């Protein structure tokens, strides 16, 4: 399977690295590949520049958003939530049509400092906005409620915990569920919440997640729904 991971931050790198380790063909999409590779300073979160990660993952190619999306049979959105629609527009509606688009992003607005706000919230969600903007894509929201390392290594958190799936297309959700199982998620820990409007709930978990992170001082935790 060919995957296009849009976004070169820690989530995009982590997802791309896991997919490559599973033998999948992976490309990463960015706005300007040359500019991305030219950066030599850590990002705003202290992560090493992308070029260092790329040197350790030479099997993963770096392409423009459009070229990556055109190549991928499945597209994974890991871009910053407030710029996700713009990034997907750069990828091109024609390159998303008919494909599963896995949305991992959160619409966090840092314009007023910490903690961030959500935009949209309550009556809409980023997942829904992506689906409305690209009606021919099959958008599935998942993995946005945890640290990137836990996304691909759920055993990092001891005991049972939960990952959610939201989307309108049953076959797309089934395909994403199979991918989650390949990442190590037990089927009993994967909860299908329903259609894409249920992405509102999982996106609204992020303010709570950030406050728990502040309490624990680390990100090795996740939500667990009793009985799941």
């Amino acid at each position: 399977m060919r995957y296009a991971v849009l976004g070169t931050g820690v989530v995009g790198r982590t997802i791309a690295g896991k997919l490559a380790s599973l033998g999948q063909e992976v490309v990463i999409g960015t706005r300007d590949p040359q500019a991305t590779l030219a950066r030599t300073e850590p990002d705003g979160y202290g992560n090493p520049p992308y070029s260092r990660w790329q040197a350790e993952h030479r099997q993963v190619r770096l392409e423009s958003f459009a070229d990556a999306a055109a190549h991928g049979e499945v597209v994974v959105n890991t871009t910053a939530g407030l710029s996700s629609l713009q990034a997907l527009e750069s990828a091109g509606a024609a390159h998303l049509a008919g494909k599963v688009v896995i949305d991992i992003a959160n619409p966090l607005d840092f314009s007023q400092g910490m903690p961030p706000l959500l935009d949209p919230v309550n009556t809409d969600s980023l997942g829904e906005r992506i689906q409305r903007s690209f009606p021919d894509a099959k958008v599935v929201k998942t993995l946005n409620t945890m640290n990137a390392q836990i996304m691909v290594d759920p055993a990092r958190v001891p005991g049972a915990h939960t990952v959610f799936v939201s989307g309108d297309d049953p076959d797309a959700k089934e395909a994403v569920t199979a991918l989650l199982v390949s990442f190590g998620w037990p089927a009993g820990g994967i909860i299908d919440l329903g259609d894409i409007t249920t992405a509102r709930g999982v996106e609204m978990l992020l303010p709570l997640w950030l406050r728990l992170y502040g309490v624990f001082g680390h990100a090795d935790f996740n939500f667990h729904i009793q009985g799941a």
Side-chain angles (χ1 to χ4, degrees), residues 6 19 25-26 50 62 66 89 92 101 137 139 147 153 170 177 197 218:
L6 306 185
L19 289 168
E25 184 178 343
V26 187
Y50 178 83
L62 183 67
E89 287 165 2
V101 175
V139 179
N147 172 267
D153 183 14
T177 296
T197 65
H218 65 80

Side-chain angles (χ1 to χ4, degrees), residues 70-87:
H71 180 79
E73 297 171 276
V74 175
V75 177
V76 186
N77 175 42
T78 72
T79 61
L82 294 189
S83 61
S84 287
L85 286 175
Q86 185 178 20

Side-chain angles (χ1 to χ4, degrees), residues 127-205:
E128 290 172 83
R129 286 188 175 182
I130 293 172
Q131 185 64 85
R132 287 198 303 271
S133 297
F134 303 95
D136 294 327
K138 303 171 184 178
V139 179
V140 178
K141 187 87 183 188
T142 192
L143 290 175
N144 68 301
T145 58
M146 66 198 74
N147 172 267
Q149 298 302 323
I150 298 170
M151 294 177 188
V152 301
D153 183 14
R156 189 179 180 99
V157 175
H161 50 110
T162 303
V163 62
F164 306 102
V165 175
S166 301
D168 292 339
D169 188 287
D171 292 337
K173 288 191 289 187
E174 183 177 346
V176 172
T177 296
L179 178 64
L180 294 173
V181 170
S182 76
F183 282 3
W185 286 94
I190 303 170
I191 299 179
D192 182 348
L193 292 177
D195 66 24
I196 195 62
T197 65
T198 63
R200 299 174 192 179
V202 292
E203 290 179 9
M204 285 191 283
L205 285 174

